[in-house]
Amino acid sequence: MMGRSQEEKAQSRHRIVAIASRRFRELGLGGISIADIMKEAGMTVGGFYRHFESRDELVCEAMAAACQEMEDSVLTKQPTLKLSIQTYLSETHRDEISSGCLVSSLVNDTARSTDDVRKVYAERLEASLRLLESQMPDACEGEFREKAILIYSAYVGALGLSRAVPDSELSRQILDVVASQLISLFPV
Amino acid sequence: MMGRSQEEKAQSRHRIVAIASRRFRELGLGGISIADIMKEAGMTVGGFYRHFESRDELVCEAMAAACQEMEDSVLTKQPTLKLSIQTYLSETHRDEISSGCLVSSLVNDTARSTDDVRKVYAERLEASLRLLESQMPDACEGEFREKAILIYSAYVGALGLSRAVPDSELSRQILDVVASQLISLFPV
DNA sequence: ATTATCTATAGATCTATAGATAATGC
DNA sequence: ATTATCTATAGATCTATAGATAATGC
């Protein structure tokens, strides 16, 4: 119906990526159609391919955007390992999947995806591991990276399990006991 | 084309469930069509709905079958905690996803599924936790169940991450460092 | 007669493209 | 003139159903 300025086009693209980034985390990489993403961005499906070459390109961009978002929020708000553990393994993080960590919410999807997707994912994982290493208290003897890998594995597993089980009591227990054990393993 | 005996029907059903159970773990719960599952079972799509009321019913049955399979193989073959850790976090388990543990390969799919699916999943998780508890060495002071939850979270996270990252060096490192740290945390 | 499976297809949905429309921007 | 978006649709695919076919089993 309308022509639009280049600035509006850039805003449209940003809106598409932001919505895709949230919906993919919530519903999985195959859980929402391009038509529905465009509708939520206030547009129709026909405009999509002037922004992206393919659906896969949007998947990569949306994952990269989710990574950047994590980078910005996490780095500033979690200065200590204890706070990082409590935040990652919180009921809030469990319930807000569409704005949460994609390393957990898309781990199965990524394993079944293209190499492009997996590379974006691995960059985010490496950044998270580096952050954990930097938060490791000096009291921790031994290799920081190895400990970071154990902590992050427990993160991804515990958050994933807490979202999968139907029993809310068990769900909370998983988050709580993994958090408290990680904290006691790596004392501040 | 043909009529078949009731015994053959039971075999057909078993074949459908066995194939679905493998393919769902490999490709995700939405990653393969009923037509393709039936084709792999040597039949066509038309016969499906005399066996199952809906696709969802097959998903539940296939997951329950995968659970039973785990129950049978794991219980007998992993008498000690150390062996359990080494088996779960092995490159073999990582690479044989279609016969591997569904708690790891379908954790994200389950979180986005119906309550029926989530209940089957939770039963499997509880059985695995009980097994881990029973393998816990007496030297471990403290609550066995809490330790089992930490170990299983690390299992699910580490195996998932090792399948998602594109770098095979990192993939192996994740499995190795999580396994060795778990073993040192819970000495035999 | 019943039924296990087949062929065929309706109806829904999804990706991607074609052509129209109405602004932008030289 | 260019282009950002729209409407419309082609072509593929998926779930579920209808009706036909050829054995089973009373």
Side-chain angles (χ1 to χ4, degrees):
Chain A
M1 199 107 61
M2 313 149 274
R4 294 291 165 78
S5 70
Q6 289 179 357
E7 189 185 350
E8 276 176 303
K9 183 182 183 188
Q11 287 173 350
S12 293
R13 185 192 173 93
H14 188 265
R15 228 161 48 238
I16 297 167
V17 171
I19 286 163
S21 155
R22 296 178 58 84
R23 290 302 192 191
F24 285 149
R25 276 177 279 180
E26 179 188 355
L27 306 168
L29 295 182
I32 185 166
S33 71
I34 288 175
D36 285 344
I37 291 169
M38 291 299 280
K39 186 194 283 183
E40 217 174 315
M43 301 164 73
T44 62
V45 64
F48 179 80
Y49 291 88
R50 293 296 178 101
H51 290 282
F52 305 94
E53 282 215 343
S54 67
R55 189 184 203 284
D56 277 349
E57 193 178 309
L58 174 63
V59 169
C60 285
E61 284 228 23
M63 287 185 65
C67 293
Q68 188 57 52
E69 197 182 296
M70 289 295 291
E71 197 87 30
D72 297 342
S73 76
V74 164
L75 265 171
T76 56
K77 294 179 187 164
Q78 296 167 17
T80 70
L81 180 60
K82 184 175 179 182
L83 198 56
S84 165
I85 294 171
Q86 287 171 335
T87 305
Y88 202 102
L89 297 175
S90 67
E91 294 185 82
T92 302
H93 191 187
R94 177 197 65 193
D95 297 335
E96 292 181 352
I97 183 164
S98 65
S99 61
C101 173
L102 95 173
V103 178
S104 176
S105 59
L106 295 177
V107 60
N108 291 160
D109 287 88
T110 300
R112 298 174 184 122
S113 283
T114 64
D115 247 41
D116 284 348
V117 167
R118 297 168 63 155
K119 272 175 196 157
V120 173
Y121 182 93
E123 283 170 30
R124 176 66 230 155
L125 173 62
E126 285 286 4
S128 297
L129 291 177
R130 280 194 301 272
L131 178 65
L132 275 181
E133 286 178 65
S134 75
Q135 293 174 332
M136 213 70 76
D138 292 340
C140 283
E141 77 286 358
E143 297 288 343
F144 284 0
R145 181 175 170 85
E146 299 191 358
K147 293 177 186 302
I149 289 175
L150 174 65
I151 293 174
Y152 214 75
S153 295
Y155 274 7
V156 171
L159 193 63
L161 289 174
S162 78
R163 285 168 173 159
V165 299
D167 173 1
S168 67
E169 189 67 36
L170 175 58
S171 175
R172 190 152 37 80
Q173 187 189 19
I174 292 167
L175 295 177
D176 288 350
V177 310
V178 173
S180 68
Q181 283 178 98
L182 287 180
I183 288 171
S184 71
L185 281 173
F186 304 96
V188 190
Chain B
M1 200 107 61
M2 315 149 273
R4 296 289 166 78
S5 71
Q6 290 179 357
E7 188 185 350
E8 275 175 303
K9 183 182 184 188
Q11 287 173 351
S12 293
R13 185 191 172 94
H14 188 266
R15 228 162 46 239
I16 296 167
V17 171
I19 286 163
S21 155
R22 294 179 58 85
R23 290 302 191 190
F24 285 149
R25 277 177 278 180
E26 179 188 355
L27 306 168
L29 296 182
I32 186 167
S33 71
I34 289 175
D36 284 344
I37 290 168
M38 291 299 281
K39 186 192 283 183
E40 216 175 315
M43 302 163 74
T44 62
V45 65
F48 179 79
Y49 292 89
R50 294 295 178 101
H51 290 282
F52 305 94
E53 282 216 343
S54 66
R55 189 184 203 283
D56 277 349
E57 193 177 310
L58 175 63
V59 169
C60 285
E61 285 229 22
M63 286 185 65
C67 293
Q68 189 57 52
E69 197 182 296
M70 288 296 290
E71 198 87 31
D72 296 343
S73 76
V74 164
L75 265 171
T76 56
K77 292 179 188 165
Q78 296 166 17
T80 70
L81 181 61
K82 183 175 179 182
L83 198 55
S84 165
I85 293 171
Q86 287 171 337
T87 305
Y88 202 101
L89 297 174
S90 68
E91 293 185 82
T92 303
H93 191 187
R94 177 196 64 193
D95 296 336
E96 292 181 353
I97 183 164
S98 65
S99 61
C101 173
L102 95 171
V103 179
S104 177
S105 58
L106 295 177
V107 60
N108 291 160
D109 286 88
T110 300
R112 298 175 185 121
S113 282
T114 65
D115 246 40
D116 283 349
V117 167
R118 296 168 62 151
K119 272 175 196 154
V120 173
Y121 182 93
E123 282 170 30
R124 177 65 230 154
L125 174 61
E126 286 286 3
S128 296
L129 291 177
R130 280 194 301 272
L131 179 64
L132 274 182
E133 286 177 64
S134 76
Q135 292 174 333
M136 213 69 76
D138 293 338
C140 282
E141 76 286 359
E143 297 290 342
F144 285 180
R145 181 174 170 84
E146 299 191 358
K147 293 178 187 299
I149 289 175
L150 175 65
I151 294 174
Y152 214 76
S153 295
Y155 275 7
V156 170
L159 193 62
L161 289 174
S162 78
R163 284 168 173 159
V165 300
D167 174 1
S168 68
E169 189 66 36
L170 175 59
S171 175
R172 189 153 38 79
Q173 187 189 19
I174 291 168
L175 295 177
D176 289 350
V177 310
V178 173
S180 67
Q181 284 177 98
L182 287 180
I183 289 171
S184 71
L185 281 173
F186 305 94
V188 191

